[in-house]
Amino acid sequence: MKLLVLNGPNLNLLGLREPEIYGYKSYKDLEEYIQKTCSEENIDVSVAQTNHEGCLVDQIQEARGVFDGIVINPAAYTHTSIAILDALKAVALPAVEVHLSDLSQREPFRQISYAGMACLKTYAGFGFEGYRQAILFLKDYLEGGKKT
Ligand code: DQA
């Protein structure tokens, strides 16, 4: 099983960036956490981060035929990007949305998620653990799918 974990803008600044919201751990810590989770679960994973909307679209498009599923934290593009929504719909890979913070408790402009409209599930407000939950959900979903 091959999963792609995609992270959007400013997540490279984890640890420095509003730590009271996003925590004190770095982006490198997040990458290591995802790699460790996936190696324990026997999942092949690629983890990527970009600050650019078009790069996220490119990487989603290129995932077709290469990966079995996508975990995505589009960061601020969550709330603005119909291009990311369209790309997820176009490739039709099972996708799960993750946010470190609990969007339901934040500003009104964070209450809409375009990307989430193409995702099977959303984990928000669980910090790094949300990525683990998303990976486990996709594993279960993909393995369940194979049995039928
Ligand atoms: C975020 C939430 C977004 O609203 C914000 O723009 C981010 C990070 C999160 O992980 O909590 O950059 O996606």
Side-chain angles (χ1 to χ4, degrees), residues 25-36:
K25 290 188 179 153
S26 68
Y27 182 72
K28 191 168 170 282
D29 293 333
L30 176 62
E31 270 188 342
E32 285 170 7
Y33 178 85
I34 294 166
Q35 294 285 358
K36 183 168 174 281

Side-chain angles (χ1 to χ4, degrees), residues 7-11 14 17-18 21-22 73-79 97-103 106-107 109-110 123-125 131:
N7 290 299
N10 301 305
L11 290 169
L14 281 182
R17 168 190 190 208
E18 300 179 275
I21 297 175
Y22 300 113
N73 181 349
Y77 292 133
T78 305
H79 319 297
E97 177 187 24
V98 175
H99 299 284
L100 295 162
S101 63
D102 182 0
L103 296 178
R106 299 190 64 191
E107 303 93 326
F109 64 84
R110 294 186 206 272
Y123 294 93
Y131 286 83

